[in-house]
Amino acid sequence: MNDLESRVRAVQQRITAAAARAKRDPDSITLVAICKTWPADAVLEAYSCGLRQFGENRVEEARDKIPEVNRRLEPASQGEPPGIVWHLVGHLQGRKAKEAVGLFDLIHSIDSVALARRVDERAAAIGRTIPCLLEINVSGETSKYGFSGALDPGLQQSVKEIVTLEHIDVQGLMTVAPIVTKPDDARPFFRALAELRDELRGRFPGCGWRHLSMGMTDDFEAAIAEGATLVRIGRAIFGERN
Ligand SMILES: *Cc1c(COP(=O)(O)O)cnc(C)c1O
């Protein structure tokens, strides 16, 4: 096994072990490999290890990398689509909504009604419905994007507006936990996201709300303990970024 493959297997084993500790089905947790800053070569290598879910945090970076990966996989997949699911996990500016809708399969970072409207408009224009998650700033840190984590009238009104948009399929919530010294210290933030999801599901039963996108290299096991369905892991797979 090469280095990348052994790191992928190690992460997969840690996910399975964390699921077992939480008495959860490991298949209910999807590993999203965050390949930001890494070239197409790294994505292709991870693909050859069996990974199919990849995440980027910037449209500018994905704009060349995604088509390149698809192009280079084409011969191997003999004209079939390569089966990659591309996730946008970083902040999205409204003016890049059109491009994002053309590139990604799931947008994790809907953080305002205005952005949701832009994405909806752009998805409508190309005749698709795009799966999205609402980003929640559970910790309230000013450095972070996202809706406030309190189920106050403001959030309820925002969600009410977003769920009526026809070309957005709201599938759940996403958060980035604060940096903590012990991973378990992040659990209250993950738990808060799960609780908010349950409350929103009660109020807006028309959406699926099945996804909780939470947990990164330093805290994904804590996130799995609190119900994560999508873990976004970069460094533990690809190594430290420059
Ligand atoms: C970079 C990034 C990740 C992955 O972080 P690692 O610590 O490398 O696992 C996850 N989510 C978001 C939003 C990111 O920007």
Side-chain angles (χ1 to χ4, degrees), residues 76-203:
S77 49
Q78 294 173 333
E80 295 295 312
I84 296 188
V85 178
W86 287 100
H87 300 248
L88 177 63
V89 302
H91 178 62
L92 175 60
Q93 288 169 288
R95 63 192 171 82
K96 296 190 183 133
K98 179 180 181 183
E99 213 180 343
V101 166
L103 286 167
F104 291 98
D105 303 297
L106 175 60
I107 297 177
H108 292 225
S109 47
I110 298 295
D111 56 10
S112 71
V113 175
L115 177 64
R117 288 214 184 95
R118 285 292 271 276
V119 169
D120 177 70
E121 233 167 67
R122 295 310 178 172
I126 57 166
R128 73 175 292 205
T129 297
I130 183 151
C132 289
L133 308 178
L134 308 182
E135 181 167 357
I136 306 291
N137 182 359
V138 182
S139 63
E141 290 163 288
T142 52
S143 58
K144 292 205 158 83
Y145 291 103
F147 293 100
S148 109
L151 190 64
D152 54 22
L155 179 63
Q156 286 185 52
Q157 183 58 33
S158 299
V159 175
K160 192 174 158 189
E161 288 178 42
I162 294 170
V163 299
T164 60
L165 299 171
E166 281 183 28
H167 298 272
I168 285 189
D169 174 19
V170 177
Q171 298 191 338
L173 303 179
M174 177 271 221
T175 200
V176 178
I179 296 168
V180 291
T181 40
K182 288 184 274 117
D184 272 352
D185 292 345
R187 281 184 65 164
F189 301 101
F190 297 139
R191 192 172 313 144
L193 193 74
E195 283 169 5
L196 181 61
R197 188 272 306 269
D198 293 345
E199 285 168 345
L200 288 170
R201 181 187 265 155
R203 276 167 213 257

